[in-house]
Amino acid sequence: ANAPLRRLAAMYKEQKRDADYRATLEKLRMSSPQELDSTLKLTELYKQSGDWPNVEKTADWALGIDPYNPETYKVLVEARTKTARSPDALGALAVLMSLDASNTPVYRLQRAHILADEKQWDPAKTEVVRLLEDMPNFWEAQKLLLDIVDKRAPSAAGAAQ
């Protein structure tokens, strides 16, 4: 049913008419809400252009079609952190950890970074320490732990006075 729109989108992509390509993908997505392929392409286009609110919107739409796609959750987490919606990113990150268990240490580190960025020092430190208990040679986690301790030290000294 959407074959003409698909051909038009392909033609615009081939001709490098990005605005027309994006608009045609939007039409395709709206005419067929279960259209995953065009939604994922739109998400990638918005990501390339740095349009993070639209990245979040289209990634969220894509998850409504396929809620088990880890790549879409990764994009959603990135979009939410870029749009200062880090607490919402933590929920998506929790789902991602259950869907893609092989990369759990990376996601736990990402969670710790988000918590540290939100100045939630104790939960961030706890997350990193637990991560280091499982993987003592995870250098990025060690570095983050040192950063948390350094950043927390001035605020803890101020609170003690």
Side-chain angles (χ1 to χ4, degrees), residues 63 73-74 76-77 80 87-97:
L63 288 171
Y73 275 101
K74 289 177 189 177
L76 183 63
V77 168
R80 287 184 173 167
D88 295 330
L90 292 174
L93 201 52
V95 174
L96 183 57
M97 282 192 255

Side-chain angles (χ1 to χ4, degrees), residues 9-71:
M11 181 187 73
Y12 286 147
K13 182 179 181 182
E14 188 176 303
Q15 294 175 352
K16 299 190 186 333
R17 293 171 55 183
D18 294 336
D20 292 329
Y21 178 52
R22 185 176 297 135
T24 304
L25 287 176
E26 279 287 356
K27 284 180 192 173
L28 186 57
R29 181 178 70 133
M30 293 312 226
S31 70
S32 180
Q34 74 281 3
E35 176 59 38
L36 182 61
D37 190 48
S38 62
T39 305
L40 293 175
K41 287 176 184 174
L42 266 173
T43 303
E44 188 58 34
L45 285 174
Y46 288 135
K47 183 179 174 185
Q48 289 171 359
S49 67
D51 185 353
W52 295 107
N54 275 325
V55 170
E56 182 180 4
K57 184 175 86 175
T58 55
D60 207 18
W61 186 296
L63 288 171
I65 300 167
D66 180 7
Y68 301 108
N69 186 338
E71 295 304 315

Side-chain angles (χ1 to χ4, degrees), residues 80-159:
R80 287 184 173 167
T81 54
K82 300 273 187 183
T83 58
R85 295 194 51 213
S86 297
D88 295 330
L90 292 174
L93 201 52
V95 174
L96 183 57
M97 282 192 255
S98 65
L99 289 177
D100 187 15
S102 64
N103 287 319
T104 297
V106 174
Y107 304 138
R108 290 177 66 191
L109 181 66
Q110 190 174 2
R111 175 181 160 76
H113 271 289
I114 291 170
L115 291 168
D117 290 344
E118 292 290 313
K119 296 184 180 14
Q120 295 182 25
W121 305 119
D122 289 335
K125 182 179 174 185
T126 301
E127 187 71 38
V128 175
V129 168
R130 287 183 180 157
L131 178 57
L132 287 171
E133 286 172 352
D134 294 339
M135 300 183 69
N137 294 325
F138 197 166
W139 299 115
E140 289 181 52
Q142 291 177 5
K143 182 179 180 300
L144 178 59
L145 182 60
L146 292 174
D147 288 346
I148 290 170
V149 170
D150 287 344
K151 289 177 183 174
R152 187 174 178 210
S155 65

